[in-house]
Amino acid sequence: MWSTKLSQPPASSYCSIQSSLLSLAILTLLSFTYLSLKSFHSPNSPSSVTPSLTVQSSQVVRAEEEVLSDVYNSPEVFRLNYEEMERKFKVFIYKDGDPKTFYQTPRKLTGKYSSEGYFFQNIRESKFVTEDPNEAHLFFIPISCHKMRGKGTSYENMTIIVQNYVDSLIAKYPYWNRTMGADHFFVTCHDVGVRATEGHPFLVKNAIRVVCSPSYDVGYIPHKDVALPQVLQPFALPAGGNDIENRTTLGFWAGHRNSKIRVILARQWENDTELDISNNRINRATGPLVYQKRFYRTKFCICPGGSQVNSARITDSIHYGCVPVILSDYYDLPFNEIIDWRKFAVVLREKDVYDLKQILKNITQEEFATLHNNLVKVQKHFQWNSPPIRHDAFHMVMYELWLRHHVIKY
């Protein structure tokens, strides 16, 4: 029987085939790599046709870095809570009452009490408003005491009107009684608003009062109530900032002596050669906007309390880039829970007025530059806009209210 044996290729042939396959694999891999790299750098690739995305991303990063600035007490907490507020916060506005007396937006949003009018207008146009009271976190009682004052209503009649109005809401709706009014708030910038609401003790004690005169010694309750910044709108001149070299005057104040601290300030320093102190408002006859222009030339702007602890001069100083020097006792500064005022202002007690000049001269140029630069970072928080803009005064007040709703427990 013949036996058939398959012929075996020589070992050298195997080596030749393996070498060819390996070379082919390497060439294929190199080809794919080349094509991939070419495609990545192609003019038609997404990265090259949308360079603005890179710019936008860097702008977002810069914005986030600004929010995370050490000007804030807890930067990361503020950022996260603010974003949550934007997503979730809902406010129900009562519609009852006489619109000619209570809650129409003032015709002109001007003057030192315009913060109240801007808030009324902003909240009505905002996404925070809900028509469903069952989904509301807070309830807005739209009392405009400033408007009532403008109509000539007496203090006594205001108190009665406010009392009757709130009582009617309590009787008609179930929402006040669920928390004794703790999830309700009202807004008033004029100090008359504080007086007009005193006739309803539960409104003062339980509801959140958003006021421009947040003084500890007149019933204001920190962490329940909210300090509303008193802003003189519109600002007469553009914002100042990054202009340290132009600020050659040490300190500036001009105004009426309508409080004890202002009388002392004027008597002590009105003849000083380094502090520009005037015990009367600057006469318009001296030239246009002379008062405002002084802010541009000054390092520190003195802000003594007037008939109340607050003063529109503080937000004027911030806007014009002049470091504010707070001279008021018992003052819960606006947004005090969010921003660190000592990073962009000089906060003094009223008794420090006698040492004012030396205190300011002891601040080095480097320290002043830091204060000034931080001041520029917070300017946006003290600006009212229509429509409102992210992080402006309206949104900062809403953020304060958002914080309050978390601690309401009944």
Side-chain angles (χ1 to χ4, degrees):
M1 181 181 291
W2 297 91
S3 62
T4 307
K5 195 179 221 181
L6 295 175
S7 60
Q8 300 286 335
S12 59
S13 299
Y14 274 119
C15 293
S16 176
I17 294 172
Q18 289 175 343
S19 298
S20 299
L21 291 174
L22 180 60
S23 299
L24 180 62
I26 292 172
L27 286 172
T28 303
L29 179 61
L30 290 173
S31 298
F32 275 117
T33 302
Y34 171 76
L35 291 173
S36 298
L37 290 173
K38 185 177 181 181
S39 174
F40 183 76
H41 290 291
S42 168
N44 297 321
S45 67
S47 63
S48 59
V49 298
T50 56
S52 61
L53 292 178
T54 305
V55 176
Q56 292 174 0
S57 298
S58 64
Q59 290 174 343
V60 170
V61 169
R62 285 197 299 271
E64 290 299 322
E65 288 175 349
E66 186 173 337
V67 170
L68 295 177
S69 164
D70 63 358
V71 172
Y72 302 90
N73 292 320
S74 301
E76 182 65 14
V77 171
F78 171 60
R79 184 181 68 82
L80 294 174
N81 281 345
Y82 187 95
E83 291 173 355
E84 183 182 27
M85 174 201 72
E86 290 182 307
R87 294 194 308 270
K88 299 181 179 179
F89 197 17
K90 295 298 178 184
V91 173
F92 178 79
I93 304 177
Y94 287 108
K95 293 181 172 60
D96 304 73
D98 178 5
K100 294 181 181 178
T101 302
F102 294 107
Y103 56 82
Q104 276 191 336
T105 299
R107 184 168 55 88
K108 292 184 179 181
L109 299 177
T110 59
K112 60 183 178 180
Y113 300 111
S114 59
S115 294
E116 179 181 314
Y118 267 99
F119 184 89
F120 273 61
Q121 177 168 302
N122 286 171
I123 194 168
R124 292 180 189 287
E125 299 172 350
S126 75
K127 63 181 181 181
F128 299 113
V129 174
T130 177
E131 297 295 326
D132 182 2
N134 294 310
E135 73 170 8
H137 299 96
L138 294 179
F139 294 78
F140 179 34
I141 304 174
I143 305 168
S144 179
C145 298
H146 182 45
K147 189 170 184 66
M148 283 189 278
R149 177 180 179 271
K151 292 174 65 67
T153 309
S154 67
Y155 289 131
E156 293 74 16
N157 286 338
M158 280 188 206
T159 302
I160 296 171
I161 290 172
V162 171
Q163 183 178 359
N164 291 339
Y165 175 55
V166 176
D167 284 342
S168 69
L169 298 181
I170 295 173
K172 183 175 181 179
Y173 299 95
Y175 311 114
W176 174 283
N177 294 320
R178 296 185 306 187
T179 64
M180 291 297 291
D183 57 357
H184 287 55
F185 72 95
F186 66 92
V187 176
T188 178
C189 191
H190 200 288
D191 51 5
V192 71
V194 176
R195 295 181 60 181
T197 55
E198 289 175 347
H200 201 293
F202 286 111
L203 182 65
V204 175
K205 179 181 178 182
N206 293 350
I208 302 168
R209 297 192 296 167
V210 183
V211 295
C212 281
S213 51
S215 178
Y216 299 141
D217 61 348
V218 292
Y220 176 88
I221 305 173
H223 312 300
K224 176 183 81 70
D225 299 331
V226 175
L228 183 68
Q230 184 178 344
V231 185
L232 183 61
Q233 297 267 211
F235 291 113
L237 294 170
N242 305 315
D243 52 2
I244 294 175
E245 66 281 358
N246 299 328
R247 300 181 179 276
T248 55
T249 302
L250 179 62
F252 166 63
W253 175 78
H256 292 317
R257 297 191 288 183
N258 58 348
S259 67
K260 181 180 178 181
I261 183 60
R262 292 187 177 190
V263 170
I264 298 172
L265 175 66
R267 287 178 179 174
Q268 186 75 15
W269 301 109
E270 63 181 335
N271 296 318
D272 192 85
T273 57
E274 294 179 272
L275 293 177
D276 182 6
I277 305 296
S278 303
N279 65 358
N280 287 299
R281 292 184 180 177
I282 298 175
N283 194 321
R284 293 181 181 178
T286 60
L289 302 175
V290 172
Y291 173 77
Q292 290 83 356
K293 291 174 182 177
R294 295 275 187 94
F295 285 87
Y296 288 130
R297 303 200 305 266
T298 307
K299 296 172 68 175
F300 300 98
C301 288
I302 320 304
C303 304
S307 56
Q308 299 289 327
V309 294
N310 54 296
S311 170
R313 188 175 280 98
I314 296 175
T315 50
D316 278 345
S317 302
I318 293 172
H319 174 76
Y320 294 118
C322 183
V323 174
V325 179
I326 314 297
L327 265 179
S328 287
D329 294 340
Y330 313 113
Y331 187 7
D332 189 41
L333 292 161
F335 316 138
N336 199 31
E337 294 173 290
I338 308 167
I339 53 180
D340 186 349
W341 277 78
R342 297 184 184 276
K343 295 290 181 63
F344 61 90
V346 179
V347 182
L348 303 176
R349 295 166 294 183
E350 289 186 0
K351 67 178 184 179
D352 293 327
V353 66
Y354 300 101
D355 302 314
L356 178 62
K357 179 177 176 179
Q358 194 57 48
I359 290 172
L360 298 182
K361 293 189 72 172
N362 287 343
I363 298 173
T364 66
Q365 185 65 16
E366 182 179 359
E367 291 169 336
F368 166 69
T370 300
L371 290 169
H372 176 81
N373 292 335
N374 287 337
L375 184 67
V376 175
K377 295 178 184 178
V378 302
Q379 283 176 332
K380 60 188 176 185
H381 298 322
F382 296 89
Q383 171 72 53
W384 292 96
N385 301 286
S386 184
I389 298 173
R390 197 168 192 255
H391 292 133
D392 68 359
F394 170 71
H395 284 96
M396 293 292 280
V397 172
M398 293 302 293
Y399 179 76
E400 290 272 28
L401 290 167
W402 172 249
L403 296 180
R404 301 302 188 273
H405 106 272
H406 283 296
V407 298
I408 297 171
K409 296 179 181 178
Y410 276 85

